Amino acid sequence: MSTDPLALMAEVDRATERLITTAAGFDDAAVAEPSALPGWTRGHVLAHVARNADGLRNLLVWARTGVVTLQYQPGQRDREIARDADRPAAVHLADLRESTRAYAEAAEALTPEQWSTILDVPGRPQPTLYSTWRRLREVELHHVDLAAGYGPDDWPDAFAHRLLRDVVGGFDGTTPLVLRPADIGHPLEVGTGGPVVSGSACELVAWLTGRSAGVDLTVTPDGPLPNPPDWM
């Protein structure tokens, strides 16, 4: 997965177009059906993806102008998802397209130096480029959450590999685990010791993020699949 902002934005664009294609197939009844996320309909997921584009665009504006612009104000995220979840399918689709367009325009306005700007995001200082990876992650994960035929095995390999490393890097090590992705070539350790869980990078990261039950994974020594560590 590239660290070049133009290449990463191209990945975001392709992933978003795949999600929009899925959303374009929904009628009002389909939008109101449950998603794969407990307590959320597909409308909640679509509203979240659109508002996430708005929030991450705020970070790009911050990088360009130097004016602190938070992703969300306190409580804003949940209020806006609840407000927008029950809208008709056509409104969701138009909102996705417009929020995507505005996000892409904000990205195009940045200079190379601004992509490297460190944003003092509360609790998580980060270079501007990282917000673009966060957008790609949100789009790909929540596309699966729509429960409409797009699954973890549809993720591009480069995305699955980077997501696996990103997820493992966020664990605190209190649940020891050794992950052995067959297509990466070396194990990834969480804490010290613990069972070895083997499979493809895609299968492993789908399980770790709650997008799969991990039925195709193997455990050494033989035994049940452990509960994955908490993530995000």
Side-chain angles (χ1 to χ4, degrees), residues 6 60-61 63-65 102-112 114-115:
L6 295 180
L60 302 184
V61 171
R64 180 175 59 81
T65 65
Y103 174 79
E105 287 185 354
E108 290 173 1
L110 295 183
T111 66
Q114 289 165 345
W115 279 112

Side-chain angles (χ1 to χ4, degrees), residues 46-220:
L46 294 173
H48 171 56
V49 173
R51 301 289 70 77
N52 174 263
D54 292 344
L56 291 176
R57 175 168 54 87
N58 286 341
L59 299 185
L60 302 184
V61 171
W62 179 355
R64 180 175 59 81
T65 65
V67 177
V68 175
T69 312
L70 298 179
Q71 180 174 351
Y72 301 112
Q73 296 299 320
Q76 177 185 1
R77 172 186 177 275
D78 291 342
R79 287 195 305 271
E80 292 185 345
I81 292 172
R83 179 197 68 195
D84 296 342
D86 294 336
R87 298 175 303 177
V91 177
H92 275 295
L93 185 60
D95 187 22
L96 275 175
R97 287 174 169 156
E98 173 57 24
S99 59
T100 295
R101 181 199 62 76
Y103 174 79
E105 287 185 354
E108 290 173 1
L110 295 183
T111 66
E113 293 76 18
Q114 289 165 345
W115 279 112
S116 299
T117 298
I118 302 298
L119 303 177
D120 192 16
V121 176
R124 191 188 298 175
Q126 59 193 238
T128 305
L129 180 62
Y130 185 67
S131 68
T132 307
W133 160 247
R134 289 174 58 199
R135 178 59 181 169
L136 179 59
R137 190 177 64 188
E138 289 286 315
V139 171
E140 289 285 18
L141 287 170
H142 290 311
H143 195 171
V144 172
D145 295 334
L146 288 174
Y150 187 85
D153 56 355
D154 293 307
W155 288 335
D157 288 342
F159 170 78
H161 292 168
R162 177 165 179 177
L163 181 62
L164 178 60
R165 295 180 186 280
D166 188 47
V167 169
V168 169
F171 291 145
D172 61 12
T174 57
T175 303
L177 195 63
V178 179
L179 304 169
R180 193 174 294 279
D183 42 352
I184 289 181
H186 60 85
L188 302 173
E189 296 188 17
V190 180
T192 303
V196 177
V197 182
S198 303
S200 71
C202 180
E203 292 165 344
L204 286 167
V205 77
W207 168 63
L208 290 171
T209 60
R211 270 73 187 182
S212 164
V215 294
D216 294 323
L217 300 174
T218 60
V219 183
T220 307

